Amino acid sequence: MVSTFTFVLLAATLVYQSQASNDADCGSGFEFLTSELRKSVREPEFFKWVIGLRRRIHQYPELGFQEHKTNELIRSELDSLGVKYKWPVAKTGVVASIGTGSKPVFALRADMDALPLQELVEWEYKSKIDGKMHACGHDAHVAMLLGAAKLLQEKIDILKGTVKLVFQPGEEGYAGAYHMLQDGCLDDIDGISALHVYPHIPTGTIASRPGQIVGGVGLFKAIIQGIGGHGAEPHETRDPIVAAAFATLALQQIVSREKNPLEPGLVTVGYIQGGQAGNVIPESVKLGGTYRSLTSEGLYYIQERIRQVIEQQAAVHRCSAVVDFLEEVPLPHPPMANDQPLYEHVKNVGQALLGKSNVRLLPLNMFSEDFSYFGEKTAAVIFVIGSGNETLKSDIAAHSPYFFIDEEALPLGAALHAAIAISYLDDHDSVQHVSLFNSGGKRCSAYEML
């Protein structure tokens, strides 16, 4: 009879020989996975389905925390895929789970809300809701994440943990990410990633950067109260228009005269509203705008100075002012910094899926993302996925009424989401002794069992 020791030794020898064989072509498993995902999303049926989802959402855009029709579509698709979910989260959000239900837990996020814009693109699936439009690509984000749900559900047997799909409401100025985190259903996540369509790089590419990527953002609105009267008798009034004009000019000095020129920051006054007749001095003027910085300290410095400047300029002109920073939203959103190891992970996955030349370095910029709230809680990374195509005129900036998307980006985004999650779980599985991206630069995993 073979002793237990002999049996274990024999088994270990067989495992060693098998591993040595695998090491000769280490990485073939992951390459097989990405190849399989590419093949799946190239199927005409998958492409038709995922762009159909995006078009249905695009026709019925909904603003922050009003995404009722959108989450109904999401839940219907998840039901058809057999994916379990929690709803509602943060009023209109949905969090789905695929996998073992145990650690590690990795999350993928898509925002859902639209913008208060009138779409000016003439096409078959144009927005049917006057004054509302998906002008930032959140319809595409939802479609890509539902596409990932389908791919992940098909490969549920190889998941070495749990993937949570976060369909988030209210990104456009409502701090939806913050409110999703208050629910508690994301307390167990070990990391999270997001994709955002980006018209400034071509379809088939992605981009990001390690560390700091976008600034923190705040909004402000103010009312300057004066005393109105006839334009022929300005001495009988307290003119809020003059006060607002001086305040607007003075706000520009915060960055140019007070901030260190090596520390980026900005103040933009986006609107001034006051008066309706040329010969009437109004009672009050409303103004508002945004302020941004790459540091939280910079944000709060600018915020306090905005308050002081507006209030004191109003006082100089014998008016009064009330400044609101929408802190109940909450605002400001913190700056966003990508987690370095997670950035490297997504970069590696992107290079394997799309090719090294199609993974680019994104310049640091002052756009903002409430995804930064997730970054305060756990390891987080955001990449942009190219949707630019001059022929389709999909290279126009977001938040424009002419914003358009090259839908060829959608299946790529779905495959990338799925590959990021599957490989993250493989790499962080406590039972898995050989990581997907090991220190030797080789890709080794258990995907050979596929």
Side-chain angles (χ1 to χ4, degrees), residues 33 93 109 153 157 163 171 184 199 263 288 306 319 331 367 398 404 440:
L33 172 69
R109 173 265 206 170
Q153 188 71 348
D157 291 342
V163 182
E171 188 274 333
E263 297 175 0
I306 289 172
C319 298
L331 284 169
F367 291 110
F404 197 65

Side-chain angles (χ1 to χ4, degrees), residues 65-143:
F65 297 119
Q66 300 174 21
E67 306 94 333
H68 303 292
K69 193 176 186 72
T70 304
N71 77 52
E72 183 179 351
L73 179 149
I74 291 167
R75 289 182 287 117
S76 175
E77 293 298 327
L78 293 174
D79 286 336
S80 69
L81 293 171
V83 175
K84 296 180 180 179
Y85 56 85
K86 179 178 181 180
W87 170 82
V89 180
K91 297 182 181 178
T92 50
V94 180
V95 175
S97 296
I98 301 175
T100 64
S102 59
K103 290 278 195 174
V105 180
F106 189 72
L108 303 168
R109 173 265 206 170
D111 38 16
M112 306 189 296
D113 55 326
L115 287 161
L117 283 177
Q118 183 66 42
E119 182 169 8
L120 298 180
V121 181
E122 295 299 332
W123 68 306
E124 183 180 355
Y125 301 99
K126 180 179 179 179
S127 170
K128 294 181 181 293
I129 310 298
D130 286 343
K132 298 178 184 179
M133 176 191 176
H134 272 291
C136 198
H138 298 187
D139 51 344
H141 300 169
V142 172

Side-chain angles (χ1 to χ4, degrees), residues 55-383:
R55 291 173 176 180
R56 286 159 61 192
I57 298 167
H58 188 86
Q59 289 180 291
Y60 297 96
E62 298 170 301
L63 302 183
F65 297 119
Q66 300 174 21
E67 306 94 333
H68 303 292
K69 193 176 186 72
T70 304
N71 77 52
E72 183 179 351
L73 179 149
I74 291 167
R75 289 182 287 117
S76 175
E77 293 298 327
L78 293 174
D79 286 336
S80 69
L81 293 171
V83 175
K84 296 180 180 179
Y85 56 85
K86 179 178 181 180
W87 170 82
V89 180
K91 297 182 181 178
T92 50
V94 180
V95 175
S97 296
I98 301 175
T100 64
S102 59
K103 290 278 195 174
V105 180
F106 189 72
L108 303 168
R109 173 265 206 170
D111 38 16
M112 306 189 296
D113 55 326
L115 287 161
L117 283 177
Q118 183 66 42
E119 182 169 8
L120 298 180
V121 181
E122 295 299 332
W123 68 306
E124 183 180 355
Y125 301 99
K126 180 179 179 179
S127 170
K128 294 181 181 293
I129 310 298
D130 286 343
K132 298 178 184 179
M133 176 191 176
H134 272 291
C136 198
H138 298 187
D139 51 344
H141 300 169
V142 172
M144 290 189 293
L145 193 53
L146 284 172
K150 182 177 178 65
L151 297 172
L152 290 165
Q153 188 71 348
E154 290 172 351
K155 297 190 178 299
I156 192 170
D157 291 342
I158 68 166
L159 297 182
K160 300 179 183 298
T162 307
V163 182
K164 291 197 171 183
L165 310 178
V166 181
F167 296 92
Q168 178 207 308
E171 188 274 333
E172 298 288 357
Y174 298 93
Y178 170 86
H179 294 287
M180 291 287 281
L181 288 168
Q182 304 314 300
D183 180 89
C185 65
L186 297 173
D187 286 351
D188 59 348
I189 62 175
D190 301 300
I192 185 169
S193 72
L195 293 176
H196 199 299
V197 292
Y198 195 60
H200 304 300
I201 59 175
T203 304
T205 63
I206 62 172
S208 190
R209 63 182 300 109
Q212 196 84 51
I213 181 169
V214 295
V217 61
L219 299 173
F220 68 92
K221 56 184 181 179
I223 299 176
I224 297 179
Q225 186 68 44
I227 297 175
H230 200 290
E233 298 181 316
H235 59 292
E236 298 291 344
T237 73
R238 296 184 179 185
D239 193 339
I241 286 184
V242 174
F246 271 85
T248 300
L249 291 173
L251 288 172
Q252 306 311 308
Q253 311 307 311
I254 296 173
V255 173
S256 69
R257 298 295 90 184
E258 299 180 29
K259 289 282 292 177
N260 185 329
L262 300 179
E263 297 175 0
L266 68 82
V267 179
T268 295
V269 176
Y271 68 87
I272 302 176
Q273 301 169 345
Q276 295 180 326
N279 63 346
V280 177
I281 294 171
E283 291 284 330
S284 64
V285 170
K286 295 179 180 179
L287 70 153
T290 182
Y291 57 102
R292 299 170 188 240
S293 174
L294 293 180
T295 67
S296 295
E297 295 79 9
L299 273 179
Y300 287 105
Y301 176 82
I302 294 173
Q303 181 188 78
E304 182 56 28
R305 290 296 289 132
I306 289 172
R307 184 192 308 277
Q308 292 172 355
V309 166
I310 295 176
E311 290 178 348
Q312 292 175 19
Q313 284 294 333
V316 165
H317 294 88
R318 302 178 302 152
C319 298
S320 62
V322 176
V323 186
D324 181 8
F325 291 101
L326 290 77
E327 291 168 312
E328 73 282 357
V329 170
L331 284 169
H333 300 337
M336 175 66 203
N338 281 334
D339 177 75
Q340 178 82 33
L342 196 50
Y343 165 80
E344 294 295 337
H345 173 75
V346 177
K347 177 183 174 182
N348 288 335
V349 173
Q351 289 176 343
L353 188 70
L354 305 172
K356 287 187 177 182
S357 64
N358 291 320
V359 179
R360 303 183 177 186
L361 185 67
L362 187 70
L364 187 63
N365 65 74
M366 278 294 190
F367 291 110
S368 64
E369 248 288 352
D370 76 349
F371 187 69
S372 59
Y373 284 109
F374 290 111
E376 289 192 325
K377 173 181 175 51
T378 189
V381 66
I382 186 167
F383 269 65

Side-chain angles (χ1 to χ4, degrees), residues 363-435:
L364 187 63
N365 65 74
M366 278 294 190
F367 291 110
S368 64
E369 248 288 352
D370 76 349
F371 187 69
S372 59
Y373 284 109
F374 290 111
E376 289 192 325
K377 173 181 175 51
T378 189
V381 66
I382 186 167
F383 269 65
V384 296
I385 181 167
S387 60
N389 185 321
E390 289 185 17
T391 303
L392 295 175
K393 296 183 178 179
S394 66
D395 54 351
I396 295 172
H399 290 225
S400 162
Y402 295 100
F403 181 72
F404 197 65
I405 286 175
D406 181 358
E407 293 175 324
E408 294 285 343
L410 303 186
L412 296 177
L416 184 59
H417 269 315
I420 291 167
I422 294 171
S423 55
Y424 178 93
L425 297 184
D426 183 90
D427 202 31
H428 291 78
D429 176 28
S430 61
V431 179
Q432 179 73 24
H433 297 294
V434 183
S435 66

